[in-house]
Amino acid sequence: MVSKGTATLNFSNGHPPVELPIYSGSVGPDVVDIRALGGKAGMFTYDPGFMSTASCSSTITYIDGDKGVLLYRGYPIEQLAQQCDFLEVCYLLLNGELPNAPQKQQFDDTVKRHTMLHEQLVRFYSGFRRDAHPMAVMVGVVGALSAFYHEAMDISDARHREVSAFRLIAKLPTITAMAYKYNQGQPFMYPRNSLNYVENFMHMMFATPCEEYRPNPVLVRALDRILILHADHEQNASTSTVRLAGSSGANPFACISAGIACLWGPAHGGANEACLKMLEEIGDVSRIGQYIKRAKDKDDSFKLMGFGHRVYKNFDPRAKLMRETCHGVLNELGLKDDRLFKLAVELEKIALEDDYFISKKLYPNVDFYSGLIYQAMGFPVAMFPVLFAIPRTSGWLAQWQEMRADAEQKHRLRQAGRGPDGEAQITEDPDHDAPDVRELLPLRKQRVLHRGLV
Ligand code: CMC
């Protein structure tokens, strides 16, 4: 990062001003480097949720939420979604550049050679209840991979990190499909090396030993594109979880399992399910007005699912590609008159013309159409967040690798202290006009545990 001068922080409590460096990254807003603040002023910044804090510097993904731009390693998502396949995008995220033809061939072949699960790991499935949520199975089985690859678990070894990345990218579809088959009571379908990544996943999901299954090429291309759209999204909750887990030196399987656990939350990987449920609830085009009214009512907790985004204050570029993909898939399946699809198109149109949504910059996000596509392809709702976890694994791995290579990445989050009863613990010292908070530590309330030694 390039130095861009300094910022001066003035204190109303009499503490002398503190100068902090400003840096400019190659893209995005400048940053004030506050690392020295604790040492110079004895204070932390308070930024719950890190909404105004860059937790790391990264070269992987860039989002301009105001302009609706998403870049992976500098390439616009639209170009990647239209001109690449998912494994090329994995290569790009992990290596910083798109592969040439031999590199691509080698990458694809290596992934193919890692798709099977250890047979002892396959037996883990019978320990789960039949009705286990597939994300619960994923958290368990992906974490359990740590128990199988002791020969390549040295995270300081670049080759070990690379092999682990291949294993995870290759095995995620197999683990997912087995979770589904187990739930359905159907036999596991083992991977087939004659198929590409997405074809193979669809084969493991939807084939049975009883008859020939040929994945529909239109659906294969659509799913491949959806994987690309979900591959990375900068420092979101699950990616930050993976980085934080990895900062302790935890192995990559444990870190990715932590990322999956975070992704499972309804505010992250579950919004497309909520969107589908909302469309079902609205039920008919004639009822859209009523629901738009509810979404605008401050006293009503109802929100238009699939609309709005923490970062995008413009069209989520992934949403446009999703809408296009949705059209293609439903057309292919003869479902273009699907009731919920028509409802979604009309709802989007009405909301985009409504002053409330325009003034608050609320646009459709990636989840508005994805649930409709998955449902049309035959994926049950519980599988939706898993379809997010498969591609995001490549982004998590790229971020994990970047974090491991970054000497500045030492994680220790801090807090603004509040007493056990919720009171602020640092009170102003009446004898000092300009208190140094470190000197006030003895004033903090402490509780005494009245218990004898056992
Ligand atoms: N419907 C109606 N009103 C909304 C909506 C919505 N979907 N989203 C935001 N608003 C209103 C909100 O009530 C607030 O109004 P006011 O200014 O009067 O208080 C204003 O717009 C700004 O909202 P906000 O909550 O400050 O916006 P945010 O950027 O913090 O929240 C959000 C973003 C995604 C949590 C929110 O838009 C939302 O809940 N959307 C619906 C759920 C959804 O689709 N989630 C998926 C997000 S994409 C996931 C991904 O990228 O992985």
Side-chain angles (χ1 to χ4, degrees):
M1 288 196 288
V2 183
S3 174
K4 260 290 214 45
T6 56
T8 306
L9 202 56
N10 292 306
F11 299 90
S12 62
N13 61 9
H15 193 287
V18 171
E19 286 226 327
L20 299 164
I22 301 176
Y23 294 114
S24 190
S26 45
V27 284
D30 293 347
V31 292
V32 180
D33 180 352
I34 57 157
R35 280 174 294 181
L37 185 64
K40 286 185 179 172
M43 292 182 211
F44 304 135
T45 52
Y46 182 56
D47 180 20
F50 276 26
M51 301 298 278
S52 292
T53 299
S55 61
C56 61
S57 66
S58 180
T59 60
I60 301 171
T61 292
Y62 173 66
I63 303 171
D64 185 332
D66 293 326
K67 294 197 184 122
V69 169
L70 170 62
L71 311 175
Y72 292 165
R73 301 285 191 183
Y75 292 102
I77 189 69
E78 294 83 354
Q79 291 177 18
L80 295 170
Q82 275 148 13
Q83 297 174 42
C84 295
D85 72 20
F86 172 65
L87 286 186
E88 271 175 301
V89 171
C90 287
Y91 185 102
L92 171 70
L93 290 170
L94 291 168
N95 298 293
E97 196 39 272
L98 284 163
N100 59 27
Q103 287 167 333
K104 165 87 168 89
Q105 187 64 52
Q106 196 185 0
F107 190 81
D108 287 6
D109 289 348
T110 311
V111 168
K112 272 182 189 166
R113 281 200 304 276
H114 284 101
T115 47
M116 285 206 301
L117 295 193
H118 194 293
E119 272 304 303
Q120 274 174 282
L121 191 58
V122 174
R123 278 186 238 134
F124 272 44
Y125 283 82
S126 54
F128 289 102
R129 274 173 55 142
R130 267 278 308 281
D131 58 356
H133 193 286
M135 285 297 263
V137 178
M138 301 295 290
V139 169
V141 176
V142 172
L145 289 171
S146 322
F148 287 81
Y149 300 109
H150 298 141
E151 88 295 351
M153 294 267 276
D154 177 0
I155 55 163
S156 64
D157 183 316
R159 177 68 191 136
H160 286 200
R161 293 200 300 271
E162 189 189 27
V163 173
S164 301
F166 276 120
R167 285 182 167 142
L168 279 156
I169 290 169
K171 291 181 201 311
L172 255 285
T174 316
I175 295 171
T176 300
M178 285 185 171
Y180 173 68
K181 289 295 193 191
Y182 182 70
N183 173 278
Q184 296 291 299
Q186 291 182 9
F188 294 143
M189 296 301 290
Y190 282 68
R192 279 212 184 149
N193 283 359
S194 57
L195 302 174
N196 72 26
Y197 191 80
V198 173
E199 289 169 342
N200 188 36
F201 174 50
M202 292 182 79
H203 155 79
M204 291 188 289
M205 280 289 300
F206 300 121
T208 66
C210 317
E211 57 190 22
E212 192 61 28
Y213 171 82
R214 282 178 206 281
N216 177 325
V218 175
L219 303 194
V220 168
R221 182 65 195 124
L223 189 53
D224 190 89
R225 179 187 267 198
I226 293 172
L227 298 189
I228 293 174
L229 299 183
H230 284 94
D232 196 48
H233 212 226
E234 212 247 29
Q235 307 311 318
N236 55 79
S238 57
T239 302
S240 303
T241 300
V242 170
R243 277 181 174 261
L244 193 56
S247 71
S248 71
N251 72 69
F253 306 107
C255 296
I256 300 302
S257 172
I260 295 171
C262 177
L263 184 67
W264 191 1
H268 196 355
N272 49 14
E273 177 182 348
C275 183
L276 204 57
K277 278 192 183 142
M278 174 194 73
L279 292 173
E280 288 283 7
E281 189 186 321
I282 298 175
D284 190 79
V285 174
S286 63
R287 283 155 55 92
I288 291 177
Q290 181 186 331
Y291 279 83
I292 293 271
K293 207 168 153 200
R294 282 188 62 193
K296 298 194 293 189
D297 182 354
K298 268 212 155 306
D299 299 325
D300 192 327
S301 61
F302 174 79
K303 280 196 176 178
L304 211 54
M305 287 295 129
F307 259 75
H309 198 274
R310 282 266 141 80
V311 182
Y312 293 115
K313 301 301 169 194
N314 199 323
F315 239 100
D316 177 341
R318 303 167 302 170
K320 287 186 193 166
L321 293 154
M322 277 291 188
R323 184 176 42 194
E324 196 183 294
T325 307
C326 193
H327 274 277
V329 166
L330 296 191
N331 226 2
E332 173 67 17
L333 296 173
L335 295 170
K336 68 178 185 329
D337 289 329
D338 177 71
R339 179 178 58 93
L340 293 189
F341 177 58
K342 284 176 132 176
L343 184 59
V345 172
E346 192 57 22
L347 178 61
E348 181 189 14
K349 187 166 162 281
I350 292 175
L352 286 175
E353 286 166 0
D354 191 293
D355 273 351
Y356 173 91
F357 292 90
I358 296 169
S359 64
K360 292 189 187 297
K361 299 185 177 171
L362 300 170
Y363 294 86
N365 60 49
V366 70
D367 291 316
F368 192 70
Y369 284 106
S370 59
L372 284 171
I373 306 175
Y374 297 150
Q375 197 175 50
M377 285 179 167
F379 291 101
V381 167
M383 295 298 288
F384 291 4
V386 192
L387 293 167
F388 196 153
I390 293 174
R392 188 53 60 86
T393 294
S394 61
W396 288 331
L397 285 164
Q399 301 270 354
W400 175 78
Q401 298 253 35
E402 188 179 65
M403 188 270 306
R404 292 299 324 159
D406 183 351
E408 291 185 337
Q409 284 291 292
K410 282 184 261 163
H411 281 96
R412 180 58 170 90
L413 311 187
R414 308 307 294 248
Q415 63 174 22
R418 301 174 77 204
D421 48 6
E423 258 177 53
Q425 278 186 294
I426 300 171
T427 49
E428 210 155 297
D429 183 343
D431 298 332
H432 291 78
D433 287 341
D436 177 333
V437 285
R438 285 169 302 181
E439 290 168 14
L440 296 178
L441 286 177
L443 297 181
R444 289 185 175 193
K445 269 192 210 162
Q446 289 189 6
R447 299 162 88 187
V448 179
L449 183 60
H450 295 289
R451 235 165 85 177
L453 290 176
V454 274

